[in-house]
Amino acid sequence: MAADYPDYSDGRATGRKGTAVNGKERKMRTTYVLAAALVLSLIVSVSGQAGVVGGVHDFTDDVGSANESTWNTTGEACRVCHDPHDQGAAAYGDLGILWDHEVTTQAFQMYNESAPAGYVAFIDNAMDAEPTGVSLFCLGCHDGSVGVDEFNGGGAGTELIQTAYGAANQIGAGGSLLNTHPIGVTYDPAVDTALNPDTTAFGGKTIADFLDAGKVQCGTCHDPHDGTGFSYLLREAVDLAESAGSTPSDLCLACHNK
């Protein structure tokens, strides 16, 4: 059987099986192709918004932008937090995940700590007395006591997050986490029955996949590498506009059985 290729033997543009295509039809087909290409480019551009490069944690030198980071002389997006050979261990200790940024040494008041008399504690599971795990890394910039530019063994930094990037980005100012969602708290629905099972779908995986040694940490709700494209680096949407018309507060309701 002959291959079903267009027949160009008469010198005209043709469709399938040698059917001649006039100029008007050819123009319409060209329009459809261009429209399809435009739609595809829009899909790619939207999905391409997620990721560390170009995100809020991309501290490459973008002079004049909201993320201007002239202090990052490495010119690398990842190096501010990570070192591929963990050379930062000499300066910052063996923290894991190839960590290359200074961590905070500030003492913290955790959620519900030193609560007034008669205050009802809503935490049934055990909670660490100080920040631990991944949360300790996040607070190394976000508590405002360590410079964002304090990495790669470069000594004391000068770029504090509250002055360089705005007070709204500071979490744990003065060591207070009293009014911040609990971190370092064990996630165990058997103890707290108001929690959904850790097998519940969340962030494209399950809740258990984003716990740190079985505990809720900053990285449970937030993706520092901005892999989702949701606001505030969240792993799930929090409003209808971002949840594609499903339910508001997807992030909260994934864990909390309300």
Side-chain angles (χ1 to χ4, degrees), residues 190-210:
V191 175
D192 185 347
T193 56
L195 295 176
N196 289 319
D198 62 7
T199 55
T200 301
F202 178 70
K205 296 183 179 181
T206 68
I207 294 171
D209 290 309
F210 299 111

Side-chain angles (χ1 to χ4, degrees), residues 119-229:
Y119 185 83
V120 178
F122 291 100
I123 298 181
D124 297 318
N125 280 295
M127 183 173 62
D128 294 330
E130 290 285 334
T132 57
V134 175
S135 297
L136 190 62
F137 301 151
C138 301
L139 289 167
C141 284
H142 283 278
D143 78 343
S145 71
V146 178
V148 180
D149 55 339
E150 209 161 327
F151 74 105
N152 207 34
T158 58
E159 299 287 332
L160 299 178
I161 194 168
Q162 63 270 34
T163 54
Y165 297 98
N169 294 302
Q170 185 179 16
I171 304 295
S176 176
L177 294 173
L178 293 171
N179 297 306
T180 295
H181 186 287
I183 55 174
V185 59
T186 301
Y187 190 96
D188 187 352
V191 175
D192 185 347
T193 56
L195 295 176
N196 289 319
D198 62 7
T199 55
T200 301
F202 178 70
K205 296 183 179 181
T206 68
I207 294 171
D209 290 309
F210 299 111
L211 299 177
D212 183 0
K215 298 176 181 179
V216 174
Q217 301 284 15
C218 299
T220 304
C221 295
H222 301 276
D223 178 2
H225 301 127
D226 199 11
T228 65

